[in-house]
Amino acid sequence: MWHRPPSLARPSVSLTCRTGRIGLPHVAGTQLRLRGSGRRSASRVMADANSGAVDSRNGPTMLMWLRQDLRTHDNPALHAAFKAATAKQGRVALVYVWSPEEDTSEVNPAPGGAMRVWYHNALAALDAKLKHTYGAGACIIYRHGPYNEALLQVAVSLGARSIYANRRYEPTMAQTDARVTRQLKQSGVFVETFEGFLLHEPQQIAIDMTKWVGHFGTLTPFSLAVSKLPPPPKPLPSPPHLPTHPLPPSSAAGGVALEQLGLARMPRCPDGSQIDWSKGIKDAWDFGEDAALELLACFVSSKLRQYETKRQLADARAVSRLSPYLHSGELSVRRMYHTMAQANARQISKTAWRRVLWRDLAYWQLHHWPALIRDPVRTHYSAQRWTDTATRGGRGAAWLKAWQLGRTGFPLVDAGMRELWATGWMQQSVRMVCAAFLTEYLNIHWREGAEWFHDTLVDADLAINAMMWQNAGKSGIDQWNFVMNPLSNAQDPDGNYTRRWVPELAALPTKYVHCPWEAPAKVLADCNVTLGASYPHRIITDLRAARADNSAAIAEAKRAAAGQWADAGGYDLIVVPKGASTTYDGTRMRIFTKREWRIRPNGELAAAETTTSGSGEKSGRAGGGSVAGATTG
Ligand SMILES: Cc1cc2nc3c(=O)[nH]c(=O)nc-3n(C[C@H](O)[C@H](O)[C@H](O)COP(=O)(O)OP(=O)(O)OC[C@H]3O[C@@H](n4cnc5c(N)ncnc54)[C@H](O)[C@@H]3O)c2cc1C
């Protein structure tokens, strides 16, 4: 398959975010009004509902409020709505309200462009499945927000007093849900919420640091804390049938067509033609819970056995590719957990088993550091010197643009960034190579990378993205203790992944595909490669010096604050949020700190720098692997 390089694929939106919304917080006002109805009192609204204005002869309607749970299997809220409707001879109706402004704040960016496209298609798939399985009356009612107004109107029109929803954990979303629940309650409509998005809710987990099993906030002590909780509940089956309204309730409830929500609206060129940047995403993925369950079955039956040895490969042959389905809730993480447990995943691949827990760890971090996407967990790292990317025409802005477009001149980085743009996804090790290239070699702020990933990933997840970018930028709890060398061919030993996404280099022999600048002139000519023309020159050439500069920038920030934020061993200190640990609430605690930044309160380095890159940085040669530290599993 041939893919156009991104620079050709997106002529007029080349460097704007797909939504144009990132970094522009829109917090909705809290005063919500019923549009077109003036200030009708809540009691009047409910009186209308009960006066026979709607057909509620067969018992009340139970309203299922869909959000990040676009599935029928193991959907606790849907299950409860089904049970209540069955018991009361009522009906179930499903509603999806699009109101991103209410969920957005400075620390909770609006959904990115790729994720909106994903949601559009996931909703369409669920709608089709619901109608096919349960009849036409099971269609989803789509509404624009505000939530309170939309839900109240739907409730009134269908005679519903109960709304069922699965909980959301992003900070602004959780606040919005609490507010909407209060507002609806005042109108006589009750929202009942359920666990269904995580294996364990973050507030249940407090890390016990009295016995040392690993640094605070890393996976080992976290999983020990989790192991003391009851295992995640067994997944629920899909409702066998849904007692729905005989006719599609959408028009009665003021619903609009899915397209009208505008989730997948594409930009237009000046000549009126449409730029469909979502085509690559739609070509690369099947949407819906059936597709997710098929991928899960394939993962446990075949890929899992290769996970331990081949998970680092860029072509994703050994990983599940389930992340976008988990984020949209097309796949229940509890279903994944129990399916993996049944397949003995823990014995087959310890790493795969731990990966699923990483997701909960990210939500635990987000719970305790709600500004994770903006503020360094190691607060003193906020003074770090970064490359200036704001000056138009400056070197930093050009570097950032080259990284985003996949035109850095480093083939593996470019391949990853182009795959990301085209399909909305990258395998984990490639994400790490690209993230490390931006932060460690270009010394560009991790927030720039997080923002770009948020807009372009179909699995863009506030908690995981923020945690991983903070770790890549070294200000996170688990700062990376390894080097992800852009010249390493560990992720793509045969070069075929790079050839696929960087077709300009497709004809090069494997020996040169990751380092075309080393190829003799004749080889380049024979392969139709002209560096600087058909493929860009490297934007930096001295990798070792570049990384040393980033390391020095971190050391400067550390040294300036070491009196307050370093312990005697030079380890960084953080204030432990209340409830995060069983014993250290509100006090300072040391967290893992890479040797080269163990700077004592007196400003001296605690230990000589011993980290080796093992990566061919000096020679500039490809072939070196990444040095994995203890914090990668
Ligand atoms: C800079 C950076 C940004 C990232 N941003 C995101 C993001 O926005 N959304 C996202 O889902 N993942 C993110 N990841 C984590 C990881 O790359 C993806 O979860 C993984 O590649 C998804 O592929 P998979 O489903 O095949 O994973 P598998 O390897 O099959 O793992 C199964 C599941 O475990 C979970 N998981 C795996 N690795 C991690 C991890 N490091 N942290 C938390 N959960 C994990 C995911 O839910 C994943 O689907 C990011 C990684 C990096 C380095």
Side-chain angles (χ1 to χ4, degrees), residues 130-150:
L130 286 165
K131 284 187 257 187
H132 178 76
T133 314
Y134 303 115
C139 66
I140 301 170
I141 302 162
Y142 299 107
R143 293 284 310 236
H144 284 284
Y147 289 123
N148 177 41
E149 178 182 326

Side-chain angles (χ1 to χ4, degrees), residues 299 307 319-324 326 336 355-356 358-359 362 425-428 431-432 435 453 457 459-462 464-465 467-469 472 480:
F299 180 57
Y307 199 92
V319 296
S320 70
R321 296 183 93 236
L322 282 168
S323 49
L326 287 167
M336 183 169 181
R355 283 281 159 88
V356 186
W358 271 103
R359 188 168 168 272
W425 195 85
M426 267 193 266
Q427 178 275 347
Q428 170 136 255
R431 292 185 200 204
M432 292 168 96
F453 271 31
L457 278 171
D459 63 22
D461 182 295
L462 179 66
I464 306 178
N465 200 37
M467 174 182 80
M468 294 306 283
W469 274 102
W480 288 355

Side-chain angles (χ1 to χ4, degrees), residues 310-483:
K310 300 207 167 83
R311 67 177 182 277
Q312 78 285 358
L313 294 179
D315 61 14
R317 77 180 75 161
V319 296
S320 70
R321 296 183 93 236
L322 282 168
S323 49
Y325 303 94
L326 287 167
H327 185 263
S328 63
E330 286 154 279
L331 178 66
S332 146
V333 70
R334 306 192 306 201
R335 173 78 173 253
M336 183 169 181
Y337 173 93
H338 284 287
T339 306
M340 287 176 70
Q342 260 175 3
N344 278 332
R346 195 181 219 146
Q347 283 72 37
I348 297 170
S349 168
K350 208 175 93 195
T351 315
W353 184 252
R354 285 160 65 94
R355 283 281 159 88
V356 186
L357 255 196
W358 271 103
R359 188 168 168 272
D360 272 21
L361 174 63
Y363 277 87
W364 177 85
Q365 288 193 12
L366 186 65
H367 176 77
H368 290 293
W369 287 272
L372 196 63
I373 195 69
R374 188 192 59 191
D375 301 340
V377 172
R378 300 169 201 242
T379 45
H380 49 300
Y381 283 48
S382 55
Q384 190 181 325
R385 150 179 75 79
W386 294 101
T387 303
D388 167 27
T389 51
T391 306
R392 273 181 181 224
R395 190 182 69 162
W399 282 355
L400 179 60
K401 192 191 292 187
W403 180 80
Q404 291 170 334
L405 292 175
R407 296 188 64 77
T408 64
F410 288 87
L412 184 61
V413 175
D414 292 345
M417 296 305 291
R418 293 182 193 191
E419 183 191 17
L420 171 64
W421 179 262
T423 70
W425 195 85
M426 267 193 266
Q427 178 275 347
Q428 170 136 255
S429 301
V430 186
R431 292 185 200 204
M432 292 168 96
V433 167
C434 294
F437 187 74
L438 188 79
T439 55
E440 276 187 49
Y441 292 97
L442 302 181
N443 195 40
I444 289 180
H445 203 300
W446 57 266
R447 274 203 297 260
E448 297 279 5
E451 217 169 83
W452 186 254
F453 271 31
H454 181 82
D455 194 38
T456 51
L457 278 171
V458 289
D459 63 22
D461 182 295
L462 179 66
I464 306 178
N465 200 37
M467 174 182 80
M468 294 306 283
W469 274 102
Q470 286 243 13
N471 290 342
K474 310 297 185 306
S475 61
I477 286 195
D478 202 1
Q479 67 179 200
W480 288 355
N481 186 26
F482 47 84
V483 175

